[in-house]
């Protein structure tokens, strides 16, 4: 099993280091190879996704990714900015299916900004289409307007587009995931306004015919944003396009009070995947050793389950994380009174200890 490890920028290096320690503690036959990505790769090779990094990612069975980005790269032209690395990996590796669970840990119910009873037991899976939509649609660019409200003015434009097969394959991913859960899918679109959304709705409805045991409802994205904070537990699987999924998955993550806890998977047609925490590179706290490594550690667990066919090892990591939380260990982002504040490395130590079956004690 070959794993490409791409730590990236900011807290990326710190949290990935802990996830790699956890993977090694499993004592399975992994071949782990590391390469720079994002701003770190720009510094080293002049490009956020240099050829050797892309080649390594293509050759691996799975990719563990930290985070990319730093304010200091904001002035670079778009093609050289760190974010292009993750967009490039998604596109070049065909990682069209993004799975973002929003799970509220019972030990962390009070960390949510919503009332505890609204989020206790929350378990949503957002499935975001990841290689289409306005993110990648051509044409895009800048030009001088020849029509519209201000002919002759400079304008910019992007193209929202989806093809039937692109929608079909993500719909299958959603319905199949629903079968392993409570068989309920909410498809989110803006079909009252957008052509792409109308096609989305038609295609998702057509694919449902192959899944008579699954329940489907459709919801406009504005309403979905509202329902997510009104009654989040009314959702189970949400399937949506790239742009809406970007926004709703951040919203859903925050419901759990702890974006530092949430893993994600981005899969291709054969379940090869890139695994990364749902949060970003947090340059404001980089290098301080206080970032929460659990989202990355849980991403490694997802990697074992979805791409490396090691569900038992995945379960071991997830139980270890649960044990660490039950022992009251918390990084700063999830700390509350009466719990023990620990740093990034100590949190990694605790998960490794729990994996090895050592009893955890509160210091
Ligand atoms: C995400 C991020 C990316 C996205 C950025 C970094 C390009 O926000 O993974 O959700 O918009 O997809
Ligand atoms: Mg995002």
């Amino acid at each position: 099993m070959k794993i490409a490890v791409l730590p990236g920028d900011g807290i990326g290096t710190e949290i990935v280091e802990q996830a790699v320690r956890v993977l090694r503690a499993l004592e399975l036959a992994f071949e782990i190879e590391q390469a720079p990505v994002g701003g770190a790769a720009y510094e080293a090779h002049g490009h956020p996704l240099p050829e050797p990094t892309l080649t390594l990612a293509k050759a691996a069975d799975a990719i563990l990714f930290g985070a990319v980005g730093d304010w200091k790269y904001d002035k670079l032209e778009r093609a050289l900015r760190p974010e292009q690395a993750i967009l490039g990996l998604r596109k070049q590796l065909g990682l069209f299916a993004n799975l973002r669970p929003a799970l509220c840990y019972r030990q962390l119910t009070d960390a949510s900004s919503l009332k505890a009873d609204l989020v206790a037991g929350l378990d949503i899976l957002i499935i975001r289409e990841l290689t289409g939509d306005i993110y990648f649609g051509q044409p895009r660019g800048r030009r001088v307007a020849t029509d519209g409200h201000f002919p002759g003015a400079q304008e910019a434009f992007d193209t929202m587009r989806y093809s039937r097969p692109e929608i079909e394959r993500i719909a299958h991913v959603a319905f199949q995931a629903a079968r392993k859960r409570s068989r309920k899918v909410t498809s989110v679109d803006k079909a009252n306004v957008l052509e792409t959304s109308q096609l989305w709705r038609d295609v998702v409805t057509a694919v449902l015919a192959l899944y008579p045991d699954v329940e489907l409802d459709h919801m406009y994205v504005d309403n979905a944003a509202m329902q997510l904070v009104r009654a989040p537990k009314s959702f189970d699987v949400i399937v949506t396009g790239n742009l809406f999924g970007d926004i709703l998955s951040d919203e859903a993550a925050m419901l759990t009070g702890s974006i530092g806890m949430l893993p994600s998977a981005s899969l291709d047609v054969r379940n090869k995947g890139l695994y990364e925490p749902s949060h970003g590179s947090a340059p404001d706290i980089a290098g301080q050793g206080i970032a929460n490594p659990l989202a990355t550690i849980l991403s490694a667990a997802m990697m074992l389950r979805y791409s490396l066919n090691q569900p038992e090892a995945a379960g071991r990591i997830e139980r270890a994380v649960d044990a660490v939380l039950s022992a009251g260990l918390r990084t700063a982002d999830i700390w509350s009174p009466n719990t023990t504040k620990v740093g990034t490395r100590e949190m990694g130590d605790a998960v490794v200890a729990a994996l090895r079956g050592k009893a955890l004690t509160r210091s």
Side-chain angles (χ1 to χ4, degrees), residues 68 83 86-87 90 98 100 128 130 135 242 246 249-250 276 278:
V68 290
E83 294 78 15
I86 186 67
L87 295 173
R90 290 171 184 171
N98 184 216
R100 297 191 172 182
R128 165 186 175 194
L130 205 57
Y135 268 61
N242 204 346
D246 178 46
S249 61
D250 267 28
E276 57 175 324
S278 286

Side-chain angles (χ1 to χ4, degrees), residues 260-312:
M261 295 295 303
L262 299 178
S264 79
S266 305
L267 305 176
D268 76 359
V269 284
R270 288 157 55 208
N271 279 348
K272 169 170 171 171
L274 179 147
Y275 298 82
E276 57 175 324
S278 286
H279 60 75
S281 57
D284 53 329
I285 59 162
Q288 296 178 31
I290 60 171
N292 186 349
L294 293 178
T296 317
I297 290 170
L298 291 165
S299 298
M302 277 187 108
M303 175 172 82
L304 290 161
R305 179 167 287 121
Y306 287 98
S307 290
L308 301 179
N309 202 18
Q310 300 280 340
E312 250 164 61

Side-chain angles (χ1 to χ4, degrees), residues 98-139:
N98 184 216
L99 276 47
R100 297 191 172 182
L103 194 87
C104 189
Y105 281 79
R106 67 186 186 290
Q107 300 94 330
L108 302 178
T109 311
D110 289 327
S112 176
S113 46
L114 294 195
K115 293 187 195 111
D117 62 306
L118 279 185
V119 295
L122 181 73
D123 181 359
I124 302 177
L125 178 61
I126 298 200
I127 298 185
R128 165 186 175 194
E129 199 290 329
L130 205 57
T131 51
D133 203 351
I134 196 164
Y135 268 61
F136 294 99
Q138 294 292 340

Side-chain angles (χ1 to χ4, degrees), residues 13-33:
T13 49
E14 301 162 53
I15 54 182
V16 164
E17 187 187 337
Q18 299 312 315
V20 169
R21 288 179 64 215
V22 169
L23 281 171
R24 291 201 193 280
L26 292 169
E27 295 179 0
L28 296 167
F30 298 131
E31 196 188 310
I32 296 178
E33 202 175 321

